Amino acid sequence: MSVARNILKNPKLGPAGGATQLTVSATLKQKSSSVEGIQKWPYEAAAIAFEAIPRTLAQNCGVNVIRTMTALQGKHANGEKSWIGIDGNTGVITDVKEKKIGGYLFGLLLLLSFISFAISIFKFVG
């Protein structure tokens, strides 16, 4: 809803090919390792949820999903390679910044704010 309006009001591009989602997922996994007990569950659940987009992209490209996701997660685990994603045409792991593969960030920003809100509610209740 209001996609065209949001793009016109806030035309920011970010890395596509699942690169943004994997960076957020890796960050949430790192955060969950510093949290103890039941309070780490929302971080882990959100990290898994963010991996759905690159996983679906890999499936649609016809590549081996397990190998591709493992390789991508390894590249994003240390936080240095945040521009590594999947080329949607070939299924090859690539630097999406170098290939100029971008997407609009407003949906991701909305999702991040929702997840942040959900985690804060869970912390308050838990």
Side-chain angles (χ1 to χ4, degrees), residues 13-88:
L13 288 175
T20 303
Q21 290 81 5
L22 283 168
T23 301
V24 172
S25 176
T27 304
L28 288 170
K29 285 179 183 177
Q30 288 175 350
K31 177 66 177 169
S32 74
S33 66
S34 67
V35 178
E36 294 294 325
I38 195 171
Q39 286 142 354
K40 72 183 340 184
W41 292 356
Y43 294 103
E44 292 173 349
I48 292 169
F50 271 106
E51 292 174 0
I53 291 175
R55 182 176 292 113
T56 302
L57 183 58
Q59 287 173 343
N60 291 342
C61 291
V63 297
N64 185 323
V65 176
I66 295 172
R67 287 186 182 148
T68 303
M69 288 301 295
T70 302
L72 281 170
Q73 289 167 344
K75 291 178 187 254
H76 282 268
N78 59 10
E80 293 176 13
K81 299 184 177 184
S82 61
W83 289 90
I84 301 296
I86 301 171
D87 184 339

